[in-house]
């Protein structure tokens, strides 16, 4: 058949028309739309039976109860646990996003041994047996050489709980006193309580019953204490909240009044308020006369006259002078003092931001004294010295000679020595001692890091890194490939917090003793091991008397044995609380005088205090150096996780574009400061402090004291995943510790700095 | 209170009252919403112009210089506008493919992901920027898809998504109710993820038409206002603030009418003096 | 080589020159196609659009080309319905330009949607209340009409015309063109209007929102009107450019002047209506939503009051005044200025009604957001321009688009033959013969 043009055309047209009339094109169109609705690479979550598992969140010291929704064996949503004494159904963003840690990209999936250079990220997968024997053989060397004290441990797990308890026990049995927890404002406050109340205790704040909160920079709704409890207390607050802070934080913004103040002068303001209260005779006479010591002048046993709190305050802290120190006004001080004193249950709180810095002892003493002046200690709606959790009653570990000798040696950080008798731990001193040590006298040869991320959390990260590089052997127990795990020699990954049992006592700032329990929501996803089990196995591998101090078969056995008959209740209810626990009262002082002591009745030298000074606060670094014309402070945001874990993808999504833009961090400055520095909104700049410099962008913010630069804490991670790593700057790179002369605590709240156009 | 309430069937109007005095800007609502609704995330989310946040918390300032500066946080879910006549919300009326719909039963503005073909007309129509486009393929890194909620379908690239008032929770509650031979829900049976998460209790959710629901009373607070009411969008999110400058920030006012704004309560001083 | 395809009695450039011309614009078009494929395969993240700019450059381009393509329906309306017979000398070109504009608009829409494979949902799940649905239906139908109007032109090609069926078909289609022109005018009235309605109905966007008649906002009528007014200006502009490029006069002045005179009066009345609309919007509609006019034109780095003046005065009043006066129309410079300004004016109008609507913050705590298109957006927007040039090039070369061309450019047959003979004319003729035999 001859196909000519015409027949070809008609054939074509005919075929076209024919096909159009068949179902084919319609079917194809339909198929295409169905295909676009179910792209093979778009996940389809599997359906299944929905259940809830109660557990506790250990991502911050708040220790909220959580209720996790599961679909079959998948955890799909974290919600707050109804009826929990800390958070009663509420939950914070960090907690909600916790599943992104469980299922996230940062999990360490199996024990890892470093093969490349430190921090290079080259790892070899090893078995748990290999990992345990690797650690134990390294540690055994230290004991063999008679230097068990050169083992140190940094623990970030809840203090007073069994996990940190086991690590501490291990250190003791091993023969090293160098056990440290991650610094917190509780360190400083407990020290003040020890000095003024005479007991080892933790501060509890009865916000719910107070009608006037005077906060000296505490981020009441920025993550201080147990954040969700604080959010609730703030929302239900019937009275007033006054926030004293150099920056208009969220807490300041929500407060009834924001008092901007020159950073670092909070203690002076507290004493200025005390001055007015004393002058106007507004203090609690009953408490002062019957339950306190050191208010009035007294004569010492040596016959010398000793000035009391009253004289010291009246002499030095007149409103006018305090106004000068703090950059406020005398009228404001008078007014505030009167309204505070006249409130029916006022409460002063301190511990800056989230309370993750130790702070200076004198500041706690000044604020606590202000509370005491009004009789607001150990009373309803006031601040309480809450007993430390003491449910762990394991027999004291058996120690051999090596252990006894090592354990008796002085702590590397000097805590508990004559120099710093009250200090429990001084992490920055530990860091400096190692970093500054000569090659042959490095005091630490091995380090265990558990539940902490010191390379990000500790101040002056450069020094931390320097110290760590001098330590021969670092073992990390982290669940995640964080900044510190990256720098370890071996990683013994813990189960994720949603995969394990762990008791979580003493939620921060809570006035009632509560013990929460983290329960496995899902089965461990990877080849991980509970750090409790890991340390038990290491102890057993070391043999000797160390092994006999760890007689438990497993961590879970240890946990159940610890709680004995209370275990089943704890496991089923999710928490233990002493409902009867109330305000300790004014007869609970264990000082030498059995009274509340404004001025220590004990030997002044013992506390390292100069009696003529109430507040003796160290200057921040760089002061007096003319080239640093500004002050850098760090600030906290509840949208930035700044503890041992950083922000998850959801959390980083919730970070404002005035904090992070691509990888650039913003620092907040007053438009006035910006004008002087010649920078505009969003401009790139170089921020330099005595500790280092960083590239930043500036965000102009009217809510900050001129001359102050504020940088958020929690960014600048080097480990972790692409959602967090490399974003922003870690403020701890720029701020170094400053030693509090009275206590040895790291009293740094900022550093001098300069800002230049990039 | 009467025990029997007059429930006119299919006359529910779900809405929220958000107490801005209580809101602390913590972002729990945002994160809870993301986790509940399988919202995707990408390596860089700092450009808020292409970052999907069904619930977004705005930071408002009174523009006063130091030290009189004030800030206020304002959570903005989809406003589920009713429009001037039922269902004539800015977005529903413009969608060419009926991919977004106004439910007469619940007052919820829905989004049918599988029908949307991504013309984005609804986004152009929405003055609240409550609608988000999937510019990228949503990617859950290996393992992370395990936390996906099966009640909410995962969206695909090239379509618009937005807050649904956690409609799947409504369906779940209704299923349960039907199973128990009930036709009405208790107030607490259907709550959105953001409401549930808010640690300050700033968000109250319920049926605005139901006298027994908390929102019914709360919306009548003299300090209550809605965003951009003057446009006639008739939104179902009410905000409450004791601060006048915040209430004034809810809508646009010409310079000549600022002083006579209807939200100006007699008790409060003008914004300037704050 | 291709002389057999070239209409009789006209002179065309050499095939080499033509190939160079086509190659240049073909390369640009290919660049656009590459960008288009990127958008389809990788998604709209290839653009600089974002959640604040759901509508951006492409929607502007859509609105602009449809307004500019308005010359087709309006001149058809004038010729076939009103009976301005002289316009038959430009109607072919108007139809071609219209065809290009509308096919481009449809192409851009196909790139612009996030799920192109589901694009047909607009017909299948149509929401009759949506302006965009109306646009989609009328646009597609009118594109069909334009195709029908364009087909007889193609069939008039020298070789096609030799096929008796094509010859008759084209003849019959010409006979009935009035019906199609009427249909086209009707459809255009609606889709031009509904395009105007696209931003006019956005009551959430005070910059775009207009009150109106029943369901139609004033922009509905203004858009139809402006398309009728500005479209012919664009037809004339393209004609003039074509004349410049080819170096030939293609349409007689009286035809152009007639079209421009009508266009001028349309412009004049339109701009009055536009001013009234703007005044009413600025003094009643927007203030009711709490906005003063200046709110839309201040506190941002780009949109000042200048853009309003540029649109209304420079791009409206000035060309209208030039075109309604005979002196203006007859003065070559003034006329050229008028049609250029007019084209700018309508493009600005469509720009502000898309882009500025998106840029203006509505919530008080929101801020102006600026936008600059990505190269992919620019390339895909230039693609229709290149495609238009290519189609015009082919159509001009092979189809008798301009009925007056022969009369205006008389040539001696042999010079043409001579010129062609320099090339490979022999092979070409053989080829033509071969195909004819086949």
């Amino acid at each position: 058949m001859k196909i000519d043009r015409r027949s070809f055309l008609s054939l074509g047209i005919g075929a076209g028309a024919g096909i159009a009339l068949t179902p084919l094109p319609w079917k194809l169109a339909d198929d295409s739309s169905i295909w676009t609705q179910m792209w093979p690479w778009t996940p389809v979550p599997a359906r299944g039976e929905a259940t809830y598992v109660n557990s506790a969140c250990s991502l911050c010291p708040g220790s909220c109860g959580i209720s996790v929704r599961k679909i079959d064996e998948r955890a799909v949503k974290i919600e707050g646990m109804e009826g929990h004494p800390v958070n009663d159904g509420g939950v914070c963003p960090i907690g909600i996003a916790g599943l992104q840690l469980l299922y996230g990209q940062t999990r360490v999936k199996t024990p890892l041994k470093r093969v490349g250079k430190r921090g290079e990220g080259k790892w070899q997968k090893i078995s748990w047996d290999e990992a345990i024997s690797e650690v134990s053989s390294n540690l055994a060397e230290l004991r063999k050489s008679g230097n068990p004290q050169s083992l140190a441990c940094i623990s970030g797990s809840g203090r007073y709980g069994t996990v940190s308890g086991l690590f501490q026990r291990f250190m003791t049995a091993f023969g090293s006193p160098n056990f440290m927890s991650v610094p917190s404002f509780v360190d400083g406050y407990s020290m003040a309580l020890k000095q003024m109340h005479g007991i080892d205790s933790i501060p509890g704040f009865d916000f719910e019953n107070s009608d006037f909160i005077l906060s000296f920079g505490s981020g009441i709704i920025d993550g201080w204490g147990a954040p969700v409890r604080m959010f609730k207390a703030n929302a239900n607050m019937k009275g007033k909240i006054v926030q004293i802070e150099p920056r208009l934080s969220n807490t300041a913004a929500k407060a009834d009044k924001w008092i901007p103040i020159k950073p670092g002068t909070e203690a002076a303001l507290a004493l200025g308020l005390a001055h007015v209260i004393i002058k106007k005779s507004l203090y609690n006479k009953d408490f002062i006369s019957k339950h306190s010591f050191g208010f009035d002048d007294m004569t010492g046993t040596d016959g010398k006259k000793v000035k009391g709190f009253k004289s010291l305050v009246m002499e030095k802290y007149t409103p006018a002078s305090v106004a000068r120190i703090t950059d406020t006004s005398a009228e404001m001080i008078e007014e505030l003092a009167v309204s505070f004193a006249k409130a029916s249950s006022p409460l002063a709180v301190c511990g800056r931001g989230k309370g993750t810095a130790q702070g200076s002892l004198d500041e706690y003493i000044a604020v606590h004294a202000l509370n005491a002046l009004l009789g607001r200690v150990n009373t309803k709606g006031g601040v309480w010295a809450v007993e430390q959790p003491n449910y762990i009653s394991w027999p004291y570990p058996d120690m051999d000679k090596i252990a006894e000798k090592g354990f008796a040696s002085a702590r590397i950080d000097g805590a508990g020595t004559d120099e710093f008798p009250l200090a429990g731990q001084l992490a920055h001193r530990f860091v400096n001692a190692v970093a500054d040590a000569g090659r042959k006298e490095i005091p630490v040869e091995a380090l265990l890091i558990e539940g902490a991320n010191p390379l990000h959390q500790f101040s002056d990260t450069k020094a931390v890194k320097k110290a760590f590089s001098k330590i021969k052997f670092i073992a990390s127990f982290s669940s995640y490939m964080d900044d510190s795990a990256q720098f370890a020699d071996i990683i013994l990954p813990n189960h994720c917090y949603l995969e394990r049992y762990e008791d979580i006592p003493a939620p921060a700032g809570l006035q009632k003793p509560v013990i929460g329990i983290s329960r496995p929501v899902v089965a461990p996803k990877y080849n991980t091991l509970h750090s409790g089990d890991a340390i038990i196995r290491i102890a057993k591998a070391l043999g000797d008397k160390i092994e006999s101090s760890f007689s438990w078969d497993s961590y879970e056995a240890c946990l159940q044995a610890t709680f004995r008959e209370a275990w089943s209740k704890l496991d089923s209810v999710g928490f233990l609380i002493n409902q009867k626990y109330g305000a300790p009262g004014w007869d609970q002082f264990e000082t030498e005088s059995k009274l509340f002591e404004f001025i220590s009745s004990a030997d002044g030298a013992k506390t390292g205090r100069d009696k003529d000074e109430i507040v003796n606060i160290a200057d921040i670094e760089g002061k007096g150096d003319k080239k640093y014309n500004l002050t850098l402070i760090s600030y906290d945001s509840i949208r930035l996780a700044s503890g041992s874990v950083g922000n998850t993808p959801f959390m980083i999504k919730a970070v404002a574009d005035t904090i992070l833009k691509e990888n650039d961090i913003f620092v907040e400055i007053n438009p006035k400061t910006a004008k002087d520095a010649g920078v505009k909104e969003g401009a790139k700049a170089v921020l330099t402090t005595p500790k280092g410099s960083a590239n930043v962008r500036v965000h102009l913010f009217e809510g900050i004291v001129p001359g102050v630069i504020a940088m958020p804490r929690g960014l600048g991670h080097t480990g972790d995943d692409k959602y967090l790593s490399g974003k922003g700057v870690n403020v701890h790179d720029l701020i170094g510790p400053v030693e509090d002369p009275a206590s040895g605590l790291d009293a740094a709240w900022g550093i001098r700095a300069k800002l230049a156009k990039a | 209170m009467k025990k029997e309430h007059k429930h006119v069937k299919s006359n529910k109007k779900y809405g929220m009252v958000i107490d801005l005095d209580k809101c602390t800007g913590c972002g729990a609502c945002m994160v809870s919403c993301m986790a509940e609704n399988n919202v995707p995330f990408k390596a860089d989310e700092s450009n808020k112009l292409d970052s999907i946040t069904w619930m977004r918390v705005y930071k408002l300032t009174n523009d006063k210089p130091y030290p009189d500066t004030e800030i206020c946080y304002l959570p903005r879910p989809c406003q589920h506008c009713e429009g001037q006549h039922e269902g004539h919300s800015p977005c529903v009326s413009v969608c060419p493919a009926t991919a977004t719909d106004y439910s007469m039963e619940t007052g919820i503005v829905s989004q049918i992901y599988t029908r949307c073909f991504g013309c984005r007309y609804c986004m152009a129509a929405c003055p609240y920027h409550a609608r988000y486009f999937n510019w990228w393929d949503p990617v859950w890194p290996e393992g992370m898809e395990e936390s996906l909620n099966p009640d909410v379908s995962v969206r695909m690239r090239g379509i618009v998504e937005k807050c649904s008032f956690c409609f799947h929770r409504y369906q779940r509650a209704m299923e349960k109710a039907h199973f128990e031979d009930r036709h009405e829900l208790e107030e607490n049976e259907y709550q959105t993820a953001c409401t549930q998460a808010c640690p300050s209790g700033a968000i109250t959710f319920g049926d605005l038409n139901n006298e027994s629901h908390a929102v019914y009373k709360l919306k009548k607070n003299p300090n209550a206002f809605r965003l951009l009411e003057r446009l006639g969008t008739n939104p179902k999110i009410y905000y409450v603030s004791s601060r006048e400058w915040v209430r004034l920030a809810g809508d646009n006012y010409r310079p000549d009418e600022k002083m006579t704004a209807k939200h100006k309560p007699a008790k409060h001083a003008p914004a300037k003096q704050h | 080589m291709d002389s057999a395809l070239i209409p009789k009695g006209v002179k065309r450039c050499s095939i080499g020159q033509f190939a160079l011309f086509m190659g240049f614009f073909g390369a640009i078009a290919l660049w656009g196609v590459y960008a288009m494929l990127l958008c389809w395969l990788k998604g709209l993240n290839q653009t600089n659009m974002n959640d604040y700019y759901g509508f951006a450059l492409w929607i502007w381009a859509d609105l602009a080309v449809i307004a500019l393509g308005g010359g087709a329906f309006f001149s058809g309306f004038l010729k076939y319905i009103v009976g301005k017979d002289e316009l038959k000398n430009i109607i072919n070109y108007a139809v071609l330009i219209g065809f290009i504009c509308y096919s481009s608009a449809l192409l851009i829409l196909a790139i612009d949607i996030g799920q192109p494979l589901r694009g047909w949902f607009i017909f299948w799940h149509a929401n009759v209340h949506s302006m965009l649905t109306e646009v989609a239906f009328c646009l597609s139908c009118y594109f069909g009409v334009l195709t029908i109007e364009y087909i007889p032109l193609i069939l008039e090609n020298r070789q096609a015309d030799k096929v008796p069926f094509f010859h008759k078909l084209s003849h019959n289609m010409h006979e009935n063109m009035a019906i199609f022109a009427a249909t086209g005018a009707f459809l255009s009235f609606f889709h031009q209007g509904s395009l105007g309605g696209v931003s006019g109905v956005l009551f959430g966007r005070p910059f775009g929102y207009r009150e109106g008649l029943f369901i139609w906002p004033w922009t509905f009528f203004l858009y139809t009107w402006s398309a009728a007014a500005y479209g012919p200006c664009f037809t004339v502009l393209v004609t003039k450019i074509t004349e410049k490029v080819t170096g030939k006069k293609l349409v007689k002045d009286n035809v152009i002047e007639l079209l421009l005179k009508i266009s001028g009066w349309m412009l004049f009345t339109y701009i009055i209506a536009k001013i009234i609309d703007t005044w009413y919007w600025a003094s009643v509609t927007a203030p009711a939503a709490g906005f003063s006019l200046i709110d839309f034109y201040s506190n941002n780095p780009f949109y000042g009051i200048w853009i309003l003046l540029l649109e209304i005065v420079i791009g409206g009043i000035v060309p209208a005044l030039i075109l309604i006066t005979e002196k203006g129309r007859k003065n070559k410079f003034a006329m050229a200025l008028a049609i250029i300004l007019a084209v700018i004016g309508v493009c600005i109008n469509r720009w502000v009604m898309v882009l500025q609507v998106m840029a203006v913050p509505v919530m008080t705590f929101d801020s102006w957001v600026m936008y600059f298109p990505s190269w992919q957006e620019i390339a895909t927007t230039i693609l229709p321009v290149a495609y238009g040039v290519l189609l015009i090039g082919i159509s001009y070369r092979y189809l008798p688009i301009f009925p007056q061309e022969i009369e205006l450019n008389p040539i001696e047959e042999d010079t043409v033959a001579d010129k062609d003979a320099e090339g490979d004319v022999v092979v070409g003729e053989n080829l033509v013969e071969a195909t004819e035999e086949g």
Side-chain angles (χ1 to χ4, degrees), chain A residues 37 41 47 69 74 77 79 100 103 105 231-232 235 250 253-254 525 639 653 655 662 702 723 727, chain B residues 20 23-25 32 36 40 43 46 48 52 66 71 73 114 137 141-142 144 146 148 150 172 196:
Chain A
Q37 288 164 22
W41 56 86
R47 308 201 147 267
R69 182 164 189 253
R74 298 190 295 122
K77 182 83 192 284
E79 288 162 8
Q100 295 197 318
Y103 295 123
Q105 298 290 288
F231 281 120
K232 284 183 176 280
N250 285 1
K254 283 281 123 178
K525 211 168 133 58
R639 294 197 211 172
K653 214 173 157 164
V655 172
E662 290 172 350
E702 290 283 2
Y723 302 101
K727 289 186 178 176
Chain B
L20 301 182
C23 171
T24 62
S32 181
E36 178 80 17
S46 67
K48 301 304 172 192
I52 302 178
Y66 172 87
I71 53 182
Y73 288 95
T114 48
D137 263 312
E142 203 201 328
M144 290 190 90
E146 290 211 40
L148 290 175
R172 214 153 73 195
Q196 187 189 22

Side-chain angles (χ1 to χ4, degrees), chain A residues 245-249 258 260-261 263 631-635 667-674 699-711, chain B residues 64-69:
Chain A
E245 201 179 4
R247 177 182 168 270
L248 184 68
S249 63
W258 168 46
I261 182 181
T631 303
L632 170 69
I633 59 170
S634 66
Y635 73 88
V667 292
E668 286 179 359
I669 52 172
N670 192 290
K672 226 174 113 190
T673 318
H699 172 52
L700 273 48
F701 182 41
E702 290 283 2
I704 188 167
V705 173
V708 174
I709 308 170
M711 183 185 266
Chain B
K64 293 251 151 53
Y66 172 87
D68 300 318
T69 325

